[in-house]
């Protein structure tokens, strides 16, 4: 029996491994050995004995890149919001549309009307577009159902994406996304329903890996947020937050103080919030697609996050209202041009730091012990990934150690 199932030789490897001192964790002319879907070794090509492997593949000098993690999406929903887009372009603010019962609630209507199968059919092409770029883990949130049945339906649809496509799925319960029409004017009653009914059922069914809250004037207060987070933790679920997206409410500091995996958006984050994140090790998930699509002008405090050593992840936030963009590569470009990330920070944002935002320690790097999720690109240097979104697509995609059919 062979020691390795596969051996890829003559690759340049952008490992994203912090143990490698080069930028991007770059290793020239290396080999990747795979056993049982995991990386067994990363070593110089001339030290990799091909006789130890059942199958040897010539890498042709291509660049191996860790499978990307898109750590924040709302991929499962019905309908679209193209008319709302037109209305916003004519000058109506996003918050105004939300207060009128449009926005998130119009997608809630369409999502409730869709069956689980229909939601899967709608989500599949979105997921395929993301996977074609080399993404191997997607986080998918509920939050457009807002009833017990519709939230569980959405989470089941999310999990099914992982059975139908070569991708790992993390699911997040975001029932505290908006107050549904049946609870209009009674947000505390809705929060109690989330904490006492929806969240326990999702946890019981194993349908949620984490719980998220939209802490915002048009979302939920700090006190309501705390209640949902406490219920999540009582059920053993990780927490993460939509915080400081449109105003500074202190949601980030609250989430960080409770040990959140990530706080996401962060345009209005202040220094106290940055310090709280640094103290707790909470990842900052930046979502430039929503910043761009809402014509936001307040940028997240990148230099303060950098100075404090807060890891920065980058995600699409794919959703019909504020970020209808199924491309992480494009988010990398936007984060560099609009937020001032370096191309290397953008790369780490969709690899190691993206995985960290989901509490996943054995993905997002090309290193021994990690899952064998990586792509091979015909590019000379990883800085091209952020520079030229879209092209080239990966020449080869490897998921759980095996080549994915194009
Ligand atoms: N912030 C966002 O940008 C998305 N959710 C959230 O809490 C928007 C969701 C939508 O408009 O449908
Ligand atoms: Fe979001």
């Amino acid at each position: 029996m062979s020691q390795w199932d596969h051996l890829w030789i003559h690759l340049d490897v952008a490992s994203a491994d912090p143990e490698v001192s080069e930028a991007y964790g770059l290793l020239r002319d290396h080999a990747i050995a795979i056993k049982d879907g995991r990386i067994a070794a990363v070593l110089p090509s001339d030290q990799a004995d091909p006789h130890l492997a059942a199958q040897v593949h010539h890498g042709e000098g291509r660049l191996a890149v860790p499978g990307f993690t898109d750590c924040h999406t709302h991929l499962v929903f019905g309908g679209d919001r193209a008319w709302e887009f037109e209305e916003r372009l004519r000058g109506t603010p996003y918050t105004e549309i939300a207060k009128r019962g449009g926005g998130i609630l119009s997608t809630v209507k369409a999502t409730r009307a869709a069956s689980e199968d229909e939601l899967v059919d709608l989500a599949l092409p979105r997921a395929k577009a993301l996977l074609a770029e080399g993404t191997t883990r997607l986080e998918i949130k509920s939050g457009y159902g807002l009833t017990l049945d519709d939230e569980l339906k959405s989470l089941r649809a999310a999990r099914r994406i992982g059975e139908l496509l070569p991708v790992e799925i993390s699911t997040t319960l975001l029932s505290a996304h908006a107050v549904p029409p049946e609870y209009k004017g009674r947000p505390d009653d809705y929060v109690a329903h989330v904490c006492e009914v929806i969240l326990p059922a999702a946890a019981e069914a194993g349908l949620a890996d984490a719980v998220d809250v939209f802490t915002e004037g048009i979302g939920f207060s700090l006190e309501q947020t705390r209640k949902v987070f406490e219920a999540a933790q009582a059920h053993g679920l990780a927490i993460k937050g939509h915080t400081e997206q449109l105003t500074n409410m202190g949601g980030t500091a609250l989430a960080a103080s409770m040990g959140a995996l990530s706080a996401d958006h962060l345009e209005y984050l202040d220094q106290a919030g940055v310090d709280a994140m640094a103290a707790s090790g909470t990842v900052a998930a930046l979502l430039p697609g929503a910043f761009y699509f809402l014509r936001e002008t307040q940028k997240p405090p990148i230099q303060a996050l950098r100075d404090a050593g807060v890891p920065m992840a980058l995600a699409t936030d794919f959703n019909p209202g504020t970020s209808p963009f199924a491309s992480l590569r494009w988010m990398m470009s936007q984060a560099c041009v609009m937020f001032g990330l370096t191309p290397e920070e953008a790369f780490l944002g969709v690899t190691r730091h993206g995985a960290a935002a989901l509490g996943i320690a054995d993905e997002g790097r090309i290193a021994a012990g990690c899952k064998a999720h990586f792509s091979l690109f015909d590019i000379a240097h990883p800085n091209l990934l952020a520079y030229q979104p879209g092209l080239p697509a990966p020449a080869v995609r490897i998921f759980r150690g095996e080549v994915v059919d194009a």
Side-chain angles (χ1 to χ4, degrees):
M1 223 183 82
S2 305
Q3 182 172 337
W4 298 323
D5 301 326
H6 297 278
L7 178 67
W8 288 85
I9 51 166
H10 298 305
L11 294 168
D12 290 339
V13 179
S15 69
D17 184 352
E19 306 290 314
V20 178
S21 57
E22 279 296 305
Y24 299 86
L26 192 59
L27 300 161
R28 295 286 185 189
D29 198 1
H30 268 58
I32 302 174
I34 298 168
K35 179 70 179 172
D36 295 334
R38 287 189 182 264
I39 296 169
V42 180
L43 66 179
S45 290
D46 59 9
Q47 292 174 24
D49 181 354
H51 300 102
L52 297 180
Q55 287 187 59
V56 179
H57 313 263
H58 201 296
E60 296 164 26
R62 284 170 166 154
L63 184 76
V65 170
F68 299 142
T69 290
D70 192 347
C71 68
H72 181 141
T73 85
H74 310 246
L75 207 74
V76 170
F77 59 84
D80 66 69
R81 306 251 286 279
W83 290 108
E84 176 184 311
F85 176 50
E86 293 209 30
E87 193 178 350
R88 285 199 299 104
L89 290 175
R90 287 195 299 270
T92 313
Y94 177 73
T95 46
E96 197 49 49
I97 294 169
K99 282 177 196 152
R100 271 201 250 124
I104 292 175
L105 291 183
S106 70
T107 301
V108 168
K109 212 173 187 179
T111 304
R112 287 179 177 181
S115 68
E116 184 182 318
D117 286 347
E118 285 166 342
L119 289 177
V120 171
D121 287 343
L122 289 167
L124 274 173
R126 302 168 188 151
K128 282 180 185 164
L130 291 165
L131 267 54
E133 293 188 315
T135 291
T136 53
R137 179 175 289 273
L138 289 175
E139 185 259 18
I140 303 178
K141 301 175 196 295
S142 69
Y144 292 120
L146 312 187
T147 64
L148 173 63
D149 288 350
D150 293 304
E151 287 289 283
L152 297 189
K153 173 180 76 177
S154 301
L155 292 174
R156 280 194 302 269
R159 286 268 199 248
R160 274 174 60 191
I161 301 297
E163 293 159 14
L164 296 168
L165 297 177
V167 64
E168 310 275 4
I169 301 290
S170 296
T171 52
T172 301
L173 183 81
L174 177 59
S175 301
H177 195 196
V179 178
E182 332 56 279
Y183 282 90
K184 193 170 189 278
R186 297 187 294 132
D188 287 325
D189 291 349
Y190 179 61
V191 167
H193 180 64
V194 170
C195 294
E196 290 159 24
V197 178
I198 303 180
L199 193 156
E204 175 77 13
L207 282 171
D209 300 309
V211 172
D212 194 341
V213 177
F214 186 27
T215 309
E216 189 57 66
I218 57 167
F220 294 87
S221 70
L222 279 184
E223 212 27 61
Q224 291 160 346
T225 303
R226 179 194 301 281
K227 285 195 176 129
V228 177
F229 284 165
E230 282 171 353
Q233 292 179 329
H235 286 87
L237 299 178
I239 58 169
K240 48 211 291 121
H242 279 73
T243 55
E244 270 67 72
Q245 180 185 6
L246 308 170
T247 56
N248 179 2
M249 295 221 336
T252 306
L254 171 67
S257 75
M258 296 181 72
L261 286 174
S262 73
D264 303 22
H265 284 290
L266 308 179
E267 279 81 345
Y268 289 83
L269 186 65
D270 59 16
Q271 188 60 44
V274 173
D275 294 342
M277 295 184 82
S280 64
T282 298
V283 175
L286 307 172
L287 309 172
F291 173 94
Y292 158 85
F293 202 58
L294 293 181
R295 289 181 165 159
E296 182 56 70
T297 52
Q298 169 94 14
K299 296 180 188 181
I302 302 302
Q303 192 55 45
L305 290 165
R306 202 181 265 142
D307 289 345
V310 175
M312 292 182 281
L314 206 51
T316 60
D317 193 14
F318 187 92
N319 78 73
T322 66
S323 194
F325 312 116
S327 171
L328 259 185
R329 291 276 298 277
W330 195 41
M331 296 306 125
M332 294 172 75
S333 166
Q334 290 193 12
C336 293
V337 173
M338 300 190 309
F339 292 172
L341 266 65
T342 65
E344 187 189 8
E345 286 172 328
F347 169 79
L348 293 175
V350 299
T351 55
R352 192 171 87 227
H353 295 157
L358 298 174
I360 306 288
D362 61 353
E363 294 176 28
R365 288 174 296 138
I366 297 178
C370 288
K371 289 201 192 132
H373 298 338
F374 56 92
S375 305
L376 307 183
F377 285 88
D378 278 316
I379 60 178
H381 194 276
N383 64 2
L384 191 131
L385 295 169
Y387 157 77
Q388 184 175 285
L391 287 173
V396 179
R397 290 187 282 141
I398 291 146
F399 181 73
R400 297 182 185 158
E402 302 297 329
V403 172
V404 173
D405 288 336

